[in-house]
Structure formats: structure tokens, C-alpha cells
Amino acid sequence: SPARELTQNPLQKTWEPYDNGLPAGHSAQRGVCMTNCPTLIVMVGLPARGKTYISKKLTRYLNWIGVPTKEFNVGQYRRDLVKKYKSFEFFLPDNEEGLKIRKQCALAALNDVRQYLSEENGHVAVFDATNTTRERRETIYKFCEENGYKTFFVESVCVDPEVIAANIVQVKLGSPDYVDCSNDEATEDFMKRIECYKNSYETLDETLDKDLSYIKIMDVGRSYLVNRVMDHIQSRIVYYLMNIHVTPRSIYLCRHGESELNLKGRIGGDPGLSVRGKEFAKSLAQFINEQNIKDLKVWTSQMKRTIQTAEALGVPYEQWKVLNEIDAGVCEEMTYEEIQENYPLEFALRDQDKYRYRYPKGESYEDLVQRLEPVIMELERQENVLVICHQAVMRCLLAYFLDKPAEQLPYLKCPLHTVLKLTPVAYG
Amino acid sequence: MRFACDLHVARRRGAMSAAPRHGGPPRGRAGVLRGGEKKCSWASYMTNSPTLIVMIGLPARGKTYVSKKLTRYLNWIGVPTKVFNLGVYRREAVKSYKSYDFFRHDNKEAMEIRKRCALVALEDVKAYLLEECGQIAEVKVSSPDYPERNRENVMDDFLKRIECYKVTYQPLDPDAYDKDLSFIKVINVGQRFLVNRVQDYIQSKIVYYLMNIHVQPRTIYLCRHGESEYNLVGKIGGDSGLSPRGKQFAQALKKFIEEQEIVDLKVWTSQLKRTIQTAESLGVTYEQWKILNEIDAGVCEEMTYAEIEAKYPDEFALRDQEKYLYRYPGGESYQDLVQRLEPVIMELERQGNVLVISHQAVMRCLLAYFLDKSADELPYLRCPLHTILKLTPVAYGCKVETITLNVEAVNTHRDKPSLNSNNLPAGQTPVRMRRNSFTPRASADTVKRPRHYSVGSKPLDLLGPFPTLEARDGADRPQLQVGVQRMAGLAV
């Protein structure tokens, strides 16, 4: 049979085969992560080991790179069922009533997982609970097998009392469970809660669990044990988990100073700074000095306007080509009026789906996210960083940090001459 | 004896030399510097001080395999890396290998020799990292050397050699003795990994790479799209469709693939029409990757080389001078392409049998990775239309088979012109490269990192002799083509 004809999708500018005017199968867009079957990530670990922190962060990352992911916090199910938390006694291993409720919650959560992965087109679900016994993990594993999901365990092991104490202060004291308690009461109760789990805790074992796929994180990332990574998405998850850290730091995002083309209302190009743009650069230098930031790294794109801005700071900076502004293709250096006049269809399409819309011979926000992934990964590795970039780029980075979905990303407000200072706090 | 593999790779940071060599932010690179700028590949931005990777493990655990593969990967992404194989040093010192007795731990004389070899090797490592601008050196602690012996005797001797090591083998101990070292322990050929104290970006990338490679036999097929309409008129770039001969090639490709009877073949294309059209003819599922798109020629897109030379003569000359680093105005360089293609390489490592239908520059970059070609050679590798390169991993490298599908096509190859053919005067300072800008700006830019080959392996000459001026326009050179096909069959 002859090769099928190709038609170009007007929004994304991708070539698709069609039969009788309808898009046909056979070709898939390589998103960043192609998952063949859904994956359930199962968290494992005693309370206050960072499971929820990891769950939320991982979920945020996977969604940002385009893998539909959702987390299911069993503790939340428990809070919905048992309206008022009384004390750690709920978690005692011999509390029949407690055990029954907790199992019920786990099963309810798994049911929602099934709905998300099998009916709602989710690709990855994160099951956030202690899952400290082999028996519980068996149950979950069987559930996955029955439904055709892959299982990947993420265990967090930590014995450092300081880390645990810090976790409790950061996220437990403010929990709805302890809304009526003093800090001391809450801490005492929570420590007893942890004790309830300790006796039955069965850590992932090199021999007993050798056929499972998992990563064991020791001491907040000092070392890792990785077993049987099965596919691309698991490999990406492992890479991500190995690059994140919890050292306090701040990330500063801003755009270049106002450029000559900004003044004319033209997009793209590689212009230099306007007079006001240069003033901004000087103010930025002053601001950075006042902030007194320890070991600040400065990153720019490879476009003149960000480099000029960085030059005013008088400190070493690194240029990343991948931080360049979105490529507007044939619309480069045009004003929006000119675009509307010359390419009315394009102009309309862009407003329809700004995230996926790709300029002819240019890029889309979706392309930008893929291009920026190494930046995000390196931002995770680093500590204090100032990123001087561009409007579309900054929107993508901001969406990652603030967990904004694709629909909102292209409309995030990133005005010129404004610095956004991001500091990780609790789960966000 | 199969696979009780306990291969360990450890890293010692700054043990050789932590002091910056020339002061100032760029790390002691030769070439024109500009205040505040870092040079070289973005990957090597991330290494602050030289790194020594120390391989650990009993014989026959895959250390050399990993050393060479890792070295090849790091050099490709632009981090100068070299392997120092202790076995080679030992063979220099002890002219002929007699038997496993040499490796007995109570053989005092041999121990002395081996220790001295290690020290000499370390001296060379130091010289490489300090003086030759190397960033990563790998030290191998053993290698086989049984040139033509009877197979059973060889096995017997080798097993006894392993036993010699076992007596004194102390694997890395993450819980106590070695808990402050940075290392990765690879267990059972990659089934399990123990990773300890990863310190920086490069270590993190190395761990990621090691976790993605595998040793299952498989084949990678690389080819370009069929001849395109633009190919016919000599225009570069753009997004044209296949010419009639290009469509013929697509059909021939389909037949070839069917004949190969490949198990579970994955097919990848770019998002440009010509590769997709080629894949469509195969009648199988394929994946489109935007990052497999051809190099972006910026303002030169959809021009012929003659038009470019007429309209942008300086650009044209610059490109011939430094084809790897040269970035088209508003476009990309080969170096940019390598960075862009890194996720493709990583995924190729993970996969089994794959056919990648791409473009000339892209295919050169991928080929350079598999065949360990330097940045100098990469932009001149021969990747003609309607030709498939079949790559099979073999021992420590890759076997290449060139398959021409006997469908005529234009030749799109341009050899490097001889140096005298430019207008630039001799003694010109290092080439001034272009930033991503539309208006010409002279700015000192990236400096090409010197390539180093592993001690003991010779560079493979895939290019043939340098052409003279007449070949500049890409005219056919049949004898060169034949040479390439012949040489392409050599294993690395």
C-alpha cells in the first residue's frame, strides 16, 4: 500500500498522516516521557521522613515535563473519614478500630488511583503512605499487577534525629491534626506516633525484595540504593530524586532589562538594552548586593539583553543557550499588530491554545518546557541562583516552581524590571 | 563463572590537584578569554575541578567496558576525558606475560613492579589533568592480555588470576570505612546500584549514564530521510518533502527492514516532513522527536551554499575554519546540536533495536558518539543519502556496516577545504565566533577542547585523505566513498 499523505497540524505545526481526511494512528509525538503503561509510585518510610515532600515535588516535576501525575495522600483520606484527630493512640498496632479505618482508607485511595490511571488518562500516580510492612506492599503490588500498572517504590530512610525534628517543625506542627495543640504537645504526640510504626517496620531489603523496582534514599540523599529500574520514566524519576536536596536557599528569577525592541513593541530578536533597561541593570546590581547572598550563581541566556543585564552586576555569570527566548520563527521582530495583519490565522490559533501553539518555523511553550528541563534539573542541584532570562522562559520556570498547569503557564505575569524571589517552604 | 559482577567505580575529588590553574572563572583553558565568560561545552561548565574516576573490581567484571564507554560519552558531551589503563603500563614494564603467578599477592617482585606502574600512571594522570586541560581521567586497574594462547589454558590461567585478586579484595564499604567517599557501585551488570555522596553535576550525569546503559545485544540503524526536493536544488534546511527518488528509497528501506527481521524494532524520526514521509513508507509505528530536527541554519535556511557564499562570505569562510563550533546567525552549531541530542543518546542507550531516520548533521553527531569521533572529525563524517549505517556493539566498541540501497541521490557532503583556500591571513588569532545574534558581533567564544584517545587505542581513519580545492563543492569522489565503505567495517 502506498505511503499515507501527511498533513500539518495548524496549531503545533507537526506532520501527521491522515486517511480520508482523518488523522490516522502510527505516529506518536515524542513527549519528553512516553509511558507505555501507567506507573504507581509507592512511598515507603516512617512518619516525618519526607515522603509527602517527595511525593508533591515529584508530582510537580512530572506534570511540568508533561506526564499527567497525581498524588494520593492516605493521611488525607483518614482525616476525611475520622473528622477529629484525638491522639497517637489511633496508630497503636493493637488498635483494632484504628487498623480497620486505616486499611479502609488505603483501599479507598487505591480505588481512586485505579480511576485516575485507567479511566482519567493519568500516567503516573503517587501513593503517599507509610507502607512500612511487606504485607501492605504485597497488597499494593498485587493491585498493580491486576490492573496492568508498573510499581516503583521510593523509600526514605533517615535516623538523624535533627532532620526528623526539623521535619516535624516544618510540616507537622501546622497539620490539621494538631490545630488545637501547642507545639510541645504536638511534637510529643507525633514522636509517639512514629514509635507505633517502628516495631513493624520492614525496610526494603536487598535480598527479600530483590525483584522489586525501587530506590532507597538514605539520609536525605547522602546515598541511594537503586534496584531494577525498568523503563524510561523510572530512570527519569531516579535521576530527579538524586538531584534534589533540602538545603535552604533562594532562587531569583527576573527578565533582562527593557530592550530596544521592547520599546518598539516588537517580539524576539537580539536587541540591546534601552536606557531604562540599563538603569534596571544597575538597580539589580544594587539589590543583589543588599541581599548579601551567599555564593550566588548568576545565569543568563545567550542573548545580548540578558548578558548586558548581568554585566552590570560585576560578578561571574554563566550563559545558557537553552535560556534563550522562545523562537517566534517567521514572526521574529514583528509587533503583534503586524502579526495579526500578516498571519491572522496564526494569531487566532495562538490565542486558542497558547501552550501548544508553535510559531511557524519557531517554537511553542511546550517545546520551551522540554528545552528548559536541564535548567530545572540544575536549579534543583544548585543553591542560591539568579536567573536572568526572558518572558516566556520565566513563565515556564515559574510554572514549575509554583505548580501551575499548562493552561495557566503562558499567562503568568512576569513584568519587566521585577524580581521574583522563590524560597522553598514546607511542601511548596 | 557468569556474572557475580561486583564492579565498583569510585571517585576521589581533588586528590590530584584542586588548585585552579590560571585563576579567574574559566578553568584554565587555552584560548582567548573574556572577562566573566565560561568557555567550552556547557557540560564542562559544571565541573569545577578535575576529577579522577577510579575503577574498582575483580578481573572480568566489565571495568574496561565501562571505562571506555564512559570516556566516549564524556568526550562526546564535551568533557575531555582519558583512560589510563594500568595493564598497559604493566605490559610496558614486563615485556612478556608468563602466567597468573605474576598476580599472586605474595609475589613480592611482581607487587613492586605493579606498584611502580601505578605510580607512573598516576604521574601521567596528573600531567593530563594539569597540563593537557583534561578534566577527567580514569584509571583502570587491570586488563587481559592473552594474545594467541590456547583457549582452555587461557581460561584456566585467567580464573587463577582472579583468585589471586580475591584473596586481597576489599570492596567499597558504604556503611563504614568508605562512607565519606564519592562512588557508585554497579552490581550484577546494572541490576542494582549503590550511589554514595554524589558531589557535583558531572558525577550526577555519570551516575545517570551508568544507570541507563546495558549490555543486551541489539542493533542501531542510522539513516537520513530519502532525498528531498530541496536536496535536488542544493538548498539546505527547510521542511520540504521527498523527491521521487527519495520515495523510492523509502520503499527500498521498507524492504530492507523487513528482510532484516528485527525483533521489536523502534523507529524514530524528526518532526520534519522528509523523515516522517520516509517512515510512513515502512508501515510501522514510529515516534517523532523534535530534537532530531536538522541543524538550524538560521538566516541561511533554505539557501544554497553558493547563495550563502555570495550573501554572507565571512560566515561562509568562518564555517569552513571551525565547522564544529561555528554557529549560524540566528541558528545553531554542531556543538549546540550535540547538547540538543543528548537525551536521544541516553534513550538509545536504554533501548534495544532502533532505527533512527534523521538528517545529515544530526546523523554525524550520533555517529560520532558511537564511533568515538572527535569534534574535529564530526562535521566531516560521511553520511550520504540513501545509505544505512548498521551499528552493533562489539567488545569495547561498535561494529559499523554500511548498506547502500542502490537508489541514486545527490551528494550533500562538503569536505573541509585546505587551509590556504581562505582569504584569512596566516597567523590569524583564534577564530572569533558568533553568539546567537542577527547583527554581526565579534566576540571571543568557545574554544575547542582537545580530544584524547584512550591509551592503547588508535584513532580510526574514516575520512580518507584531505581533498584539494576542487572537491570543495562536494563533487563526487568515488575512490573516497569506496575507502569509507571498506574502513567502516573495522571494529574500534
Side-chain angles (χ1 to χ4, degrees):
Chain A
S1 55
R4 296 173 301 181
E5 290 302 309
L6 294 179
T7 178
Q8 191 173 44
N9 171 314
L11 182 77
Q12 291 176 289
K13 312 299 187 292
T14 45
W15 291 99
E16 291 153 7
Y18 66 92
D19 279 327
N20 303 317
L22 293 166
H26 272 203
S27 93
Q29 272 353 298
R30 179 84 190 190
V32 172
C33 269
M34 295 306 280
T35 44
N36 300 330
C37 64
T39 304
L40 179 64
I41 299 174
V42 182
M43 303 303 298
V44 179
L46 294 173
R49 262 58 176 179
K51 296 185 299 302
T52 305
Y53 175 81
I54 293 170
S55 294
K56 289 187 181 258
K57 210 168 157 76
L58 193 51
T59 302
R60 175 161 59 89
Y61 168 70
L62 290 171
N63 276 312
W64 186 77
I65 62 173
V67 180
T69 307
K70 193 170 174 184
E71 33 127 11
F72 298 83
N73 182 310
V74 176
Q76 195 51 49
Y77 283 76
R78 189 258 305 156
R79 276 188 279 276
D80 290 342
L81 197 58
V82 180
K83 297 303 171 192
K84 179 86 177 99
Y85 174 76
K86 292 201 181 62
S87 83
F88 75 94
E89 284 168 7
F90 179 81
F91 293 96
L92 282 169
D94 52 6
N95 181 342
E96 295 278 339
E97 179 74 18
L99 284 170
K100 210 177 88 180
I101 293 175
R102 288 155 70 194
K103 181 130 196 225
Q104 203 182 333
C105 291
L107 292 176
L110 281 180
N111 205 33
D112 287 351
V113 163
R114 181 192 356 242
Q115 186 171 345
Y116 178 66
L117 294 180
S118 295
E119 290 160 41
E120 292 174 24
N121 290 321
H123 283 203
V124 176
V126 184
F127 191 69
D128 180 15
T130 50
N131 299 316
T132 38
T133 61
R134 198 154 278 122
E135 188 214 333
R136 170 58 54 87
R137 298 196 288 266
E138 266 282 318
T139 311
I140 299 170
Y141 188 80
K142 280 208 185 79
F143 163 84
C144 288
E145 273 196 321
E146 282 162 18
N147 286 284
Y149 310 148
K150 286 190 182 155
T151 319
F152 188 71
F153 294 93
V154 177
E155 180 174 12
S156 173
V157 173
C158 183
V159 295
D160 186 341
E162 276 181 34
V163 171
I164 296 164
N167 285 351
I168 295 177
V169 167
Q170 274 256 321
V171 294
K172 299 300 179 190
L173 298 184
S175 150
D177 291 344
Y178 297 113
V179 98
D180 295 325
C181 300
S182 75
N183 284 352
D184 286 336
E185 284 167 353
T187 308
E188 199 191 314
D189 183 276
F190 199 80
M191 295 302 288
K192 291 199 183 117
R193 203 154 119 178
I194 298 176
E195 285 304 311
C196 295
Y197 285 90
K198 274 192 179 163
N199 280 340
S200 56
Y201 183 20
E202 294 168 294
T203 186
L204 286 170
D205 181 77
E206 274 181 39
T207 320
L208 293 172
D209 298 306
K210 64 177 168 53
D211 291 326
L212 299 179
S213 298
Y214 65 83
I215 176 172
K216 201 172 182 178
I217 305 171
M218 263 86 69
D219 292 330
V220 203
R222 177 186 55 78
S223 62
Y224 306 88
L225 183 61
V226 179
N227 198 58
R228 288 192 190 271
V229 166
M230 294 313 265
D231 62 10
H232 178 98
I233 190 84
Q234 290 183 17
S235 158
R236 295 289 291 274
I237 289 167
V238 165
Y239 185 46
Y240 181 71
L241 291 177
M242 286 183 8
N243 281 321
I244 62 180
H245 67 78
V246 293
T247 312
R249 47 77 172 256
S250 289
I251 295 170
Y252 299 78
L253 300 179
C254 72
R255 291 165 67 185
H256 52 84
E258 183 191 67
S259 75
E260 296 289 355
L261 283 188
N262 286 141
L263 276 178
K264 299 182 186 153
R266 294 182 177 280
I267 66 171
D270 194 15
L273 295 180
S274 67
V275 169
R276 294 194 297 199
K278 290 176 181 164
E279 268 177 50
F280 165 70
K282 288 202 196 101
S283 302
L284 182 65
Q286 204 181 351
F287 169 74
I288 292 299
N289 274 329
E290 283 161 11
Q291 287 276 301
N292 231 335
I293 308 151
K294 175 177 161 251
D295 289 334
L296 179 71
K297 294 254 166 84
V298 179
W299 297 351
T300 70
S301 69
Q302 282 187 355
M303 294 180 143
K304 191 173 179 183
R305 50 201 188 278
T306 57
I307 298 170
Q308 274 184 310
T309 311
E311 278 286 328
L313 304 180
V315 297
Y317 56 90
E318 288 177 34
Q319 298 181 16
W320 294 64
K321 184 174 193 278
V322 294
L323 281 173
N324 282 3
E325 181 58 314
I326 193 171
D327 183 355
V330 301
C331 301
E332 278 282 319
E333 299 195 53
M334 294 174 100
T335 64
Y336 284 117
E337 291 78 37
E338 282 168 1
I339 298 173
Q340 188 167 26
E341 209 184 291
N342 290 304
Y343 302 101
L345 180 61
E346 296 297 327
F347 196 75
L349 277 171
R350 187 157 206 253
D351 282 337
Q352 274 195 8
D353 189 343
K354 199 171 173 190
Y355 184 72
R356 274 167 208 87
Y357 170 80
R358 187 186 280 170
Y359 280 105
K361 302 191 179 166
E363 294 176 304
S364 62
Y365 272 96
E366 197 174 16
D367 295 327
L368 209 48
V369 161
Q370 187 180 355
R371 159 151 74 89
L372 287 169
E373 204 257 341
V375 176
I376 288 297
M377 198 63 87
E378 192 54 24
L379 276 173
E380 285 295 345
R381 291 196 53 79
Q382 292 289 342
E383 293 184 15
N384 294 318
V385 186
L386 163 65
V387 185
I388 305 173
C389 54
H390 306 265
Q391 182 167 248
V393 170
M394 187 165 159
R395 283 172 168 158
C396 293
L397 299 178
L398 197 58
Y400 166 75
F401 288 110
L402 301 186
D403 202 17
K404 297 295 177 189
E407 300 73 53
Q408 293 176 34
L409 187 160
Y411 298 101
L412 294 176
K413 291 211 181 295
C414 296
L416 286 166
H417 301 182
T418 309
V419 179
L420 294 184
K421 177 179 175 180
L422 306 168
T423 318
V425 121
Y427 293 138
Chain B
M1 150 180 185
R2 283 295 105 197
F3 291 141
C5 203
D6 259 32
L7 167 71
H8 312 228
V9 178
R11 255 167 124 160
R12 214 169 284 274
R13 191 186 174 186
M16 289 299 113
S17 157
R21 286 170 289 155
H22 296 293
R27 255 210 28 70
R29 307 217 164 107
V32 182
L33 298 179
R34 195 169 178 232
E37 279 185 36
K38 292 253 177 97
K39 304 294 164 227
C40 313
S41 84
W42 77 298
S44 57
Y45 285 169
M46 305 301 178
T47 48
N48 298 327
S49 54
T51 304
L52 177 64
I53 303 178
V54 183
M55 304 299 291
I56 299 174
L58 294 174
R61 262 54 174 179
K63 296 184 299 301
T64 307
Y65 174 79
V66 170
S67 293
K68 291 192 177 226
K69 209 171 155 79
L70 190 53
T71 300
R72 176 162 57 90
Y73 168 69
L74 290 169
N75 275 311
W76 186 76
I77 64 173
V79 181
T81 306
K82 189 172 177 180
V83 175
F84 294 82
N85 181 316
L86 266 196
V88 170
Y89 285 82
R90 190 253 306 153
R91 278 192 284 280
E92 288 284 310
V94 179
K95 286 311 170 189
S96 92
Y97 175 76
K98 297 215 173 45
S99 83
Y100 77 94
D101 279 325
F102 184 83
F103 292 96
R104 290 175 56 131
H105 72 284
D106 52 4
N107 182 339
K108 284 216 169 67
E109 193 189 316
M111 284 304 244
E112 265 308 304
I113 295 176
R114 289 162 72 190
K115 189 169 175 182
R116 245 186 302 127
C117 287
L119 291 174
V120 170
L122 286 178
E123 278 300 313
D124 285 353
V125 165
K126 186 169 170 181
Y128 170 71
L129 292 178
L130 285 184
E131 286 147 41
E132 292 178 54
C133 305
Q135 284 192 283
I136 303 199
E138 285 183 53
V139 178
K140 277 185 60 332
V141 298
S142 92
S143 93
D145 49 355
Y146 302 98
E148 325 93 10
R149 305 251 230 95
N150 171 277
R151 188 185 154 74
E152 256 173 44
N153 291 347
V154 166
M155 273 299 268
D156 187 60
D157 186 281
F158 197 71
L159 286 171
K160 291 203 178 102
R161 194 157 127 184
I162 297 178
E163 292 305 314
C164 296
Y165 282 94
K166 277 191 180 170
V167 173
T168 51
Y169 182 27
Q170 296 169 299
L172 287 172
D173 175 16
D175 296 319
Y177 193 78
D178 300 307
K179 64 176 169 48
D180 291 328
L181 297 181
S182 298
F183 66 81
I184 177 171
K185 213 176 196 197
V186 179
I187 302 150
N188 281 350
V189 206
Q191 194 179 91
R192 194 158 75 239
F193 299 88
L194 181 63
V195 180
N196 202 56
R197 291 198 189 275
V198 166
Q199 292 171 319
D200 62 9
Y201 167 83
I202 264 297
Q203 293 185 19
S204 151
K205 295 258 332 167
I206 288 170
V207 166
Y208 185 46
Y209 182 72
L210 292 176
M211 284 181 10
N212 282 321
I213 60 181
H214 67 77
V215 293
Q216 305 311 317
R218 47 80 170 256
T219 310
I220 294 170
Y221 299 82
L222 300 181
C223 72
R224 288 166 68 186
H225 52 83
E227 182 190 69
S228 74
E229 297 289 352
Y230 269 12
N231 287 143
L232 276 179
V233 295
K235 289 191 184 198
I236 66 170
D239 193 13
S240 58
L242 296 179
S243 69
R245 294 196 298 201
K247 289 178 182 164
Q248 251 187 291
F249 166 72
Q251 289 299 322
L253 180 65
K254 172 183 171 152
K255 194 152 153 263
F256 169 76
I257 292 296
E258 282 166 1
E259 283 163 8
Q260 290 277 300
E261 285 182 1
I262 309 150
V263 171
D264 284 337
L265 178 72
K266 295 250 164 86
V267 178
W268 297 351
T269 70
S270 70
Q271 280 188 0
L272 293 171
K273 193 173 180 183
R274 49 201 189 274
T275 56
I276 299 170
Q277 274 184 308
T278 310
E280 272 291 318
S281 290
L282 303 180
V284 298
T285 317
Y286 56 90
E287 281 179 41
Q288 298 182 13
W289 295 62
K290 184 174 193 275
I291 52 182
L292 281 172
N293 281 7
E294 181 57 315
I295 192 171
D296 183 357
V299 300
C300 301
E301 277 281 319
E302 303 188 59
M303 295 171 79
T304 65
Y305 284 120
E307 285 166 0
I308 299 172
E309 187 171 17
K311 191 162 180 200
Y312 304 105
D314 287 338
E315 295 295 329
F316 195 74
L318 266 178
R319 186 160 203 253
D320 280 335
Q321 282 225 324
E322 281 283 359
K323 200 173 174 189
Y324 184 73
L325 294 176
Y326 171 81
R327 187 186 281 170
Y328 281 106
E332 293 175 303
S333 63
Y334 271 96
Q335 189 182 57
D336 296 329
L337 207 48
V338 161
Q339 185 183 343
R340 171 160 53 95
L341 286 169
E342 209 249 334
V344 175
I345 288 297
M346 201 61 93
E347 192 55 21
L348 275 172
E349 285 295 344
R350 291 197 54 81
Q351 291 288 343
N353 295 320
V354 186
L355 163 64
V356 185
I357 305 173
S358 61
H359 305 266
Q360 182 167 247
V362 169
M363 187 165 159
R364 282 170 169 158
C365 293
L366 298 178
L367 196 59
Y369 167 74
F370 287 108
L371 301 187
D372 203 16
K373 294 298 166 192
S374 69
D376 279 326
E377 302 167 281
L378 188 160
Y380 297 100
L381 293 175
R382 283 188 183 279
C383 296
L385 286 166
H386 300 184
T387 310
I388 304 162
L389 294 185
K390 177 177 173 178
L391 306 167
T392 324
V394 124
Y396 295 136
C398 234
K399 181 179 98 170
V400 189
E401 237 183 278
T402 309
I403 300 134
T404 351
L405 285 192
N406 285 325
V407 179
E408 288 285 310
V410 299
N411 180 0
T412 57
H413 188 89
R414 285 188 69 244
D415 281 312
K416 183 176 172 122
S418 59
L419 295 170
N420 298 335
S421 64
N422 298 330
N423 305 325
L424 298 167
Q428 173 87 351
T429 47
V431 184
R432 298 184 153 286
M433 282 303 165
R434 181 62 44 76
R435 286 284 172 214
N436 181 21
S437 60
F438 285 93
T439 51
R441 277 174 59 223
S443 62
D445 198 333
T446 46
V447 171
K448 198 164 55 229
R449 315 305 302 285
R451 274 301 313 278
H452 299 269
Y453 293 96
S454 308
V455 174
S457 70
K458 277 203 303 268
L460 187 63
D461 179 21
L462 199 61
L463 299 176
F466 267 146
T468 57
L469 194 65
E470 298 87 67
R472 254 182 102 209
D473 62 353
D476 270 337
R477 293 286 295 252
Q479 59 266 52
L480 278 179
Q481 286 290 94
V482 168
V484 163
Q485 283 191 21
R486 228 180 333 113
M487 282 185 272
L490 285 175
V492 169

